[in-house]
Amino acid sequence: MTSAAPFGTVLTAMATAFHPDGSLDLDGTARIARHLVDHGHDGLVVSGTTGESPTTTPDEDGEILAAVRDAVGPGIPLVAGVGTNDTRTSVGLARQAKKYGADGVLLVTPYYSKPGQRGILRHFREVVDAAELPVMLYDIPGRTATQLAMETYQEMADWDAVVAVKDAVGDFARGVRIMQLGFALYSGDDIANLGWLAHGAAGFVSVCGHVVGDDLRAMHDAHTAGDPAGALKIFTRMLPAIEAVMGVPNYGATTAKAALQLLGVLDNRTVRSPLVELDEDEVTALRTVLAASGLLQ
């Protein structure tokens, strides 16, 4: 890992596979991980929102992480989602993450409870200390109902373990200021990936990478090589697929699994309640866009 991109540059918050009865499918999860690594990824996030972490148990999270580590080997950075709205649970998940081979943890702002900034800082401090691993914060007020204040970032700037931020706020000027504090910034919104590169981001934590991983890699590499026109061309080519994946209610696990089924990586698109699978009309619409984008054989 490097300080500029501590967990790699092209990452996806990977889906977790389930059997049709809703039980954990470790073989399917391993196939997803290998598919991503074979298509442009140099890092993975497991047990994030797209991995349906609110519906998996701590024991399942450990099994998922162990299966993914075994599937991709030691050379791919793995970031384990450990954020919950209960500090004790997150502390336990953080300790477990190191045990099962994570290289870092993803720590989302506590959701639903809507703690103030002092409460967030206390929660973060306890989890960071327990993890004994590098930490990527996740700022996504659209899901958590709370946005991290700049003063909170300033407070954490001298916490050595907190090295990165996954940003789903979408304020580029604010993001530049966060980077000036010393944090690596990862785009947490696929539609903003190219914009974040232009503002100095380290890379992406994607959802659409399940289907456009090679293009994400090519866009990142074109931008890094000083070819912004080439990067824009690649982004424009990806845009219909990004909009198709992100334009469905409850996007994330639902659309990622439908796409993975269309690609032949998974044999079903089972999600755990309260999510529901895409219906046949939605799958047909997704198939049409992916085929037109040259992403299906």
Side-chain angles (χ1 to χ4, degrees):
M1 296 191 293
T2 66
S3 58
F7 303 110
T9 55
V10 178
L11 296 82
T12 279
M14 59 173 282
T16 301
F18 300 121
H19 295 293
D21 65 358
S23 60
L24 190 61
D25 178 0
L26 293 177
D27 289 338
T29 301
R31 288 198 303 274
I32 297 171
R34 288 192 292 267
H35 163 77
L36 293 171
V37 171
D38 289 343
H39 291 85
H41 289 72
D42 57 356
L44 299 173
V45 173
V46 299
S47 296
T49 307
T50 306
E52 297 177 72
S53 59
T55 73
T56 55
T57 68
D59 285 345
E60 287 178 325
D61 291 335
E63 292 180 72
I64 292 163
L65 180 55
V68 172
R69 171 54 74 204
D70 185 61
V72 302
I76 298 294
L78 298 184
V79 181
V82 301
T84 71
N85 61 352
D86 174 59
T87 303
R88 290 175 300 175
T89 299
S90 289
V91 163
L93 289 171
R95 289 173 175 155
Q96 175 176 268
K98 184 173 183 180
K99 174 182 175 182
Y100 286 106
D103 298 287
V105 298
L106 179 71
L107 182 55
V108 71
T109 310
Y111 42 83
Y112 187 75
S113 302
K114 294 183 68 174
Q117 298 296 312
R118 285 197 303 118
I120 292 169
L121 278 168
R122 185 173 69 176
H123 173 83
F124 282 175
R125 183 75 268 178
E126 291 188 38
V127 180
V128 167
D129 287 347
E132 298 182 342
L133 289 169
V135 175
M136 179 190 294
L137 303 176
Y138 187 11
D139 198 353
I140 181 166
R143 288 187 182 270
T144 65
T146 306
Q147 180 172 304
L148 295 178
M150 283 303 300
E151 293 78 9
T152 300
Y153 282 113
Q154 290 165 355
E155 179 75 19
M156 293 184 289
D158 62 354
W159 295 10
D160 291 342
V162 180
V163 298
V165 177
K166 177 185 176 184
D167 185 280
V169 175
D171 183 333
F172 291 121
R174 178 176 179 274
V176 169
R177 295 188 182 100
I178 290 170
M179 287 183 273
Q180 287 175 332
L181 291 172
F183 301 103
L185 191 141
Y186 287 81
S187 171
D189 183 358
D190 278 294
I191 206 71
N193 284 348
L194 182 56
W196 275 122
L197 283 183
H199 284 81
F204 332 115
V205 178
S206 176
V207 172
C208 297
H210 287 96
V211 289
V212 294
D214 289 330
D215 281 339
L216 287 176
R217 166 56 57 202
M219 183 178 72
H220 176 275
D221 291 351
H223 184 273
T224 301
D227 181 13
L232 178 58
K233 183 177 179 180
I234 296 165
F235 176 75
T236 303
R237 183 173 72 230
M238 281 190 289
L239 192 53
I242 292 173
E243 291 174 336
V245 170
M246 307 300 280
V248 176
N250 292 320
Y251 72 84
T254 55
T255 46
K257 287 183 177 179
L260 289 166
Q261 185 183 35
L262 291 170
L263 290 168
V265 178
L266 294 179
D267 57 14
N268 69 70
R269 54 182 185 274
T270 303
V271 291
R272 284 180 173 174
S273 184
L275 297 182
V276 293
E277 298 175 10
L278 298 194
D279 62 31
E280 291 304 323
D281 289 341
E282 290 169 328
V283 172
T284 297
L286 180 62
R287 180 190 293 111
T288 298
V289 173
L290 296 183
S293 299
L295 296 167
L296 296 180
Q297 299 296 325

Short mmCIF file of all heavy atoms in Angstrom, two decimals, residues 2 29 50 91 97 111 149 181-182 199 202 236 244 282:
data_model
loop_
_atom_site.label_atom_id
_atom_site.label_comp_id
_atom_site.label_asym_id
_atom_site.label_seq_id
_atom_site.Cartn_x
_atom_site.Cartn_y
_atom_site.Cartn_z
N THR A 2 0.40 2.29 -0.65
CA THR A 2 1.12 3.55 -0.70
C THR A 2 0.32 4.61 0.02
O THR A 2 -0.89 4.50 0.19
CB THR A 2 1.36 3.99 -2.15
OG1 THR A 2 0.09 4.30 -2.75
CG2 THR A 2 2.04 2.89 -2.96
N THR A 29 -19.58 -15.90 -3.53
CA THR A 29 -18.89 -14.69 -3.11
C THR A 29 -17.44 -14.70 -3.59
O THR A 29 -16.91 -13.68 -4.05
CB THR A 29 -18.95 -14.56 -1.57
OG1 THR A 29 -20.33 -14.51 -1.17
CG2 THR A 29 -18.24 -13.32 -1.09
N THR A 50 -23.29 -2.52 -0.24
CA THR A 50 -23.60 -3.38 -1.38
C THR A 50 -23.43 -4.85 -1.01
O THR A 50 -24.03 -5.72 -1.64
CB THR A 50 -22.72 -3.01 -2.58
OG1 THR A 50 -22.86 -1.62 -2.84
CG2 THR A 50 -23.12 -3.77 -3.83
N VAL A 91 -16.72 -2.35 17.23
CA VAL A 91 -15.44 -2.72 17.85
C VAL A 91 -15.17 -4.21 17.64
O VAL A 91 -14.05 -4.62 17.27
CB VAL A 91 -15.44 -2.36 19.35
CG1 VAL A 91 -14.32 -3.08 20.09
CG2 VAL A 91 -15.29 -0.85 19.52
N ALA A 97 -11.85 -8.24 11.86
CA ALA A 97 -11.33 -7.96 10.52
C ALA A 97 -9.84 -8.26 10.43
O ALA A 97 -9.37 -8.86 9.45
CB ALA A 97 -11.60 -6.51 10.14
N TYR A 111 -25.47 5.44 11.73
CA TYR A 111 -26.70 5.82 11.05
C TYR A 111 -27.90 5.69 11.99
O TYR A 111 -27.84 5.09 13.05
CB TYR A 111 -26.92 4.94 9.80
CG TYR A 111 -26.60 3.47 10.02
CD1 TYR A 111 -27.52 2.61 10.60
CD2 TYR A 111 -25.34 2.96 9.68
CE1 TYR A 111 -27.23 1.27 10.81
CE2 TYR A 111 -25.03 1.63 9.90
CZ TYR A 111 -25.98 0.79 10.47
OH TYR A 111 -25.68 -0.53 10.70
N ALA A 149 -18.54 16.91 9.95
CA ALA A 149 -18.15 18.32 9.90
C ALA A 149 -16.67 18.45 9.59
O ALA A 149 -15.87 17.58 9.95
CB ALA A 149 -18.47 19.00 11.23
N LEU A 181 -5.95 18.10 4.39
CA LEU A 181 -5.69 17.69 5.77
C LEU A 181 -4.84 16.42 5.84
O LEU A 181 -4.41 16.03 6.92
CB LEU A 181 -7.01 17.46 6.51
CG LEU A 181 -7.85 18.70 6.80
CD1 LEU A 181 -9.21 18.31 7.36
CD2 LEU A 181 -7.11 19.62 7.78
N GLY A 182 -4.62 15.78 4.67
CA GLY A 182 -3.75 14.62 4.63
C GLY A 182 -4.44 13.30 4.36
O GLY A 182 -3.78 12.24 4.33
N HIS A 199 -9.98 16.28 -9.29
CA HIS A 199 -9.75 17.05 -8.07
C HIS A 199 -8.72 16.39 -7.15
O HIS A 199 -8.52 16.84 -6.02
CB HIS A 199 -11.07 17.26 -7.32
CG HIS A 199 -11.94 18.29 -7.95
ND1 HIS A 199 -12.74 18.03 -9.04
CD2 HIS A 199 -12.12 19.61 -7.66
CE1 HIS A 199 -13.40 19.13 -9.39
NE2 HIS A 199 -13.04 20.10 -8.58
N ALA A 202 -7.67 9.63 -4.90
CA ALA A 202 -6.81 8.46 -5.06
C ALA A 202 -7.42 7.43 -5.99
O ALA A 202 -6.71 6.70 -6.68
CB ALA A 202 -6.55 7.82 -3.69
N THR A 236 -17.65 8.61 -20.83
CA THR A 236 -18.85 8.77 -21.66
C THR A 236 -19.36 7.42 -22.14
O THR A 236 -20.58 7.17 -22.17
CB THR A 236 -18.54 9.68 -22.86
OG1 THR A 236 -18.06 10.94 -22.38
CG2 THR A 236 -19.77 9.91 -23.72
N ALA A 244 -27.85 2.95 -15.68
CA ALA A 244 -28.73 1.79 -15.57
C ALA A 244 -28.56 1.10 -14.22
O ALA A 244 -29.55 0.67 -13.60
CB ALA A 244 -28.44 0.81 -16.70
N GLU A 282 -37.30 -5.05 -15.04
CA GLU A 282 -36.09 -4.32 -14.66
C GLU A 282 -34.84 -5.04 -15.16
O GLU A 282 -33.88 -4.40 -15.62
CB GLU A 282 -36.04 -4.13 -13.15
CG GLU A 282 -37.09 -3.16 -12.62
CD GLU A 282 -37.20 -3.17 -11.11
OE1 GLU A 282 -36.98 -4.25 -10.49
OE2 GLU A 282 -37.52 -2.11 -10.54
#
